Amino acid sequence: MALQERERIAVLGGGSWATALVKILSENKTDVSWWLRSKEDVQHLQQYAHNPRYLSGVRFDLEFVHPSNNIQETVANAEWVILAVPAAFVEQALEALPPDAFQGKTLVSAVKGMIPGKNLLITDFLEQTYGVPSDRQCVIAGPCHAEEVALEKQSYLTIGSHDLARAEMFCALLRNRYVKANPLDDIDGIEYCAVMKNVIALACGIAHGLNYGDNFQAVMVSNSMEEIERFLDALMPLHRDLKGSAYLGDLLVTAYSQFSRNRTFGNMIGRGYTVKSAQVEMNMVAEGYYAVQSIYQLNQRLNVEMPITTAVYNILYERIAPGVEIEILKDKFK
């Protein structure tokens, strides 16, 4: 598949990661139709060429960026559709689209979460609900915070797909002087890993909020890699090297970075915030809050040893005191 000039790409979502992706793509002189739910945000972008809510220092060339709050038109004119909406709101965001809206298009998930209640990966949801075959889907993974993209810090992305040629095409759309992108065929593995690393980041944040130090967090992260490996092996046995940047790299940046909203959310819980008060104060979605329930429920069938996931679930959903759960957890580490 040859890369054409001025590929037509739709980006769905108005958050920080959507904004960062629009920056990358538009600076590579790709036509980007950008759907945002808020009419006010669309008008602001059209007038001032920046997102008023997220990464507001990033300015866009409106020759290449076309903001809209009409999702049907945004999708209809695109060859590639990037979904960059928090997993909890994906169904709501797409509800205005007909079942055949994505026919003949390539769908790219930039969502690191699962559909709550249905416990579905985004790729599985798109296939079941909109008939998008798995070989016409890609997943964006890797250690890459939107805030660092805005600052043009060196970043690395992995594009997962069952169709490596398609993944390489999308990599070519993303590569620039500060973004490197590489294809990988383990789309399911990196998608599940991207979900689980948010759960681990919550645990790290909770421990930090309880005044546990770097030594403990390092042990938690190393034990979490074993937990993720056990879960993936039970779900879909496949030889995969979890030391790669799409797995371990993504986990590390989410567990340690000042920009990690999941770590921030967990830190607030560890310091004594309720879930609701933490959500209100952050005013951003921590995907791990929803993800831990999905992973925990999936594991009721698999029965894998997952002490970190269980501890986070108990804290957030069973309202067990964070100090009690982490005290129990620390005796399970080696």
Side-chain angles (χ1 to χ4, degrees), residues 212 216 219 325-334:
Y212 283 82
F216 180 74
V219 173
E325 280 296 325
I326 300 300
E327 187 71 21
I328 294 170
L329 189 60
K330 75 179 188 181
D331 291 332
K332 296 183 179 180
F333 291 161
K334 56 181 186 287

Side-chain angles (χ1 to χ4, degrees), residues 14 19 24 29-30 40 42 53 61 65 77 87 97 100 103 109 134 150 155 158 197 211 289 305 317:
T19 304
I24 294 168
K29 303 194 182 309
T30 299
E40 291 77 15
V42 169
R53 298 178 189 268
D61 185 341
V65 178
N77 296 324
L97 295 173
D100 62 349
Q103 187 172 355
S109 173
S134 60
S155 300
T158 298
K197 56 93 180 180
N211 291 319
Y289 171 71
E305 182 187 0
Y317 288 90

Side-chain angles (χ1 to χ4, degrees), residues 59-325:
R59 302 195 68 82
F60 298 101
D61 185 341
L62 296 182
E63 177 185 349
F64 300 101
V65 178
H66 315 288
S68 172
N69 65 332
N70 186 321
I71 193 169
Q72 294 96 332
E73 289 182 1
T74 301
V75 169
N77 296 324
E79 299 160 297
W80 302 78
V81 179
I82 302 174
L83 187 56
V85 177
F89 307 120
V90 165
E91 290 182 284
Q92 181 183 2
L94 302 183
E95 64 185 357
L97 295 173
D100 62 349
F102 302 124
Q103 187 172 355
K105 304 178 187 299
T106 298
L107 269 289
V108 182
S109 173
V111 184
K112 296 185 176 182
M114 301 180 74
I115 303 295
K118 295 181 174 160
N119 301 340
L120 286 173
L121 294 174
I122 302 303
T123 51
D124 292 335
F125 169 76
L126 292 171
E127 185 167 14
Q128 292 182 20
T129 308
Y130 293 94
V132 184
S134 60
D135 62 356
R136 293 196 70 89
Q137 295 197 57
C138 298
V139 169
I140 301 177
C144 192
H145 280 308
E147 293 82 0
E148 290 205 351
V149 170
L151 295 170
E152 300 187 356
K153 300 284 189 180
Q154 186 65 55
S155 300
Y156 294 77
L157 290 170
T158 298
I159 307 304
S161 179
H162 293 303
D163 182 345
L164 277 178
R166 193 177 304 276
E168 173 56 34
M169 276 190 69
F170 193 70
C171 287
L173 292 169
L174 294 171
R175 292 183 184 118
N176 61 24
R177 63 181 174 80
Y178 59 90
V179 175
K180 295 185 182 295
N182 294 292
L184 187 69
D185 60 1
D186 181 25
I187 183 171
D188 299 311
I190 63 175
E191 196 170 7
Y192 270 114
C193 197
V195 172
M196 290 193 65
K197 56 93 180 180
N198 287 330
V199 176
I200 305 306
L202 283 176
C204 289
I206 290 169
H208 187 266
L210 290 167
N211 291 319
Y212 283 82
D214 293 342
N215 295 342
F216 180 74
Q217 178 162 322
V219 173
M220 179 180 284
V221 169
S222 62
N223 275 264
S224 73
M225 285 305 297
E226 296 178 11
E227 183 164 320
I228 291 171
E229 186 171 15
R230 287 194 298 269
F231 180 76
L232 290 178
D233 285 348
L235 201 63
M236 51 185 75
L238 175 72
H239 177 70
R240 51 173 66 88
D241 183 3
L242 293 183
K243 297 188 297 295
S245 62
Y247 310 100
L248 177 59
D250 203 1
L251 169 64
L252 290 175
V253 78
T254 309
Y256 284 95
S257 175
Q258 61 177 322
F259 296 124
S260 170
R261 64 190 69 177
N262 288 283
R263 178 184 165 87
T264 299
F265 184 83
N267 184 58
M268 295 170 77
I269 297 298
R271 286 162 49 201
Y273 281 70
T274 65
V275 167
K276 187 171 289 294
S277 62
Q279 289 173 327
V280 169
E281 184 161 322
M282 279 185 64
N283 194 32
M284 296 178 81
V285 175
E287 291 276 23
Y289 171 71
Y290 302 100
V292 69
Q293 185 178 46
S294 293
I295 296 297
Y296 181 85
Q297 290 174 349
L298 282 173
N299 194 44
Q300 298 307 291
R301 172 175 57 85
L302 299 170
N303 200 29
V304 174
E305 182 187 0
M306 301 182 71
I308 301 174
T309 300
T310 301
V312 175
Y313 176 83
N314 286 341
I315 291 167
L316 297 181
Y317 288 90
E318 300 295 341
R319 299 185 180 181
I320 296 176
V324 171
E325 280 296 325

Side-chain angles (χ1 to χ4, degrees), residues 17-35:
W17 190 216
T19 304
L21 290 168
V22 173
K23 169 183 166 63
I24 294 168
L25 293 163
S26 62
E27 288 178 354
N28 285 349
K29 303 194 182 309
T30 299
D31 276 326
V32 182
S33 298
W34 187 6
W35 175 78

